[in-house]
Amino acid sequence: NNTLDPLYAISLIIICASPGGSYSNWWCNLINADLALSVAMTTVSTVVSCGVLPLNIFLYVEKGYKALNADKSEEILQLLPYEVLAYTLANVIIAVITGLIFGYKFPQ
């Protein structure tokens, strides 16, 4: 059987489902594109991902991984580091809110 270990499978699912965007901000700045629009879109995708990413991971594990690997399906949900995920989510939310507050209070 040619399947991934559950730890590697969940890591791959999280990496593939995570939003990207900071690299596009760099490219926009480099080629003088609309940097404000790129930053705004990155902010929106980051905020939306706080709710959608856990839902995506749950759906991918439940519908995709379990269908392919029924014998290891119960093990994968127990491997998720829920405390670390919650801490990371809180960290991202606090960083985005802090950036919005600073941008509003100090526009220059």
Side-chain angles (χ1 to χ4, degrees):
N1 196 356
N2 200 9
T3 61
L4 280 177
D5 183 70
L7 184 61
Y8 295 123
I10 194 66
S11 300
L12 187 60
I13 290 171
I14 291 171
I15 289 170
C16 291
S18 296
S22 59
Y23 194 59
S24 69
N25 297 339
W26 179 76
W27 277 106
C28 285
N29 190 23
L30 185 68
I31 63 172
N32 292 326
D34 192 353
L35 183 60
L37 176 63
S38 178
V39 170
M41 291 176 64
T42 300
T43 302
V44 169
S45 71
T46 300
V47 170
V48 169
S49 74
C50 290
V52 177
L53 183 61
L55 177 65
N56 274 342
I57 293 169
F58 178 76
L59 289 175
Y60 296 154
V61 169
E62 286 292 315
K63 300 299 179 194
Y65 189 79
K66 281 187 175 183
L68 295 174
N69 303 302
D71 56 331
K72 296 181 182 179
S73 63
E74 296 303 320
E75 184 181 345
I76 196 163
L77 289 177
Q78 295 170 354
L79 289 173
L80 285 173
Y82 293 104
E83 297 84 19
V84 174
L85 289 173
Y87 174 75
T88 305
L89 244 109
N91 199 7
V92 168
I93 291 170
I94 290 169
V96 169
I97 290 172
T98 303
L100 290 173
I101 290 170
F102 271 89
Y104 179 74
K105 295 281 186 184
F106 308 106
Q108 293 296 336

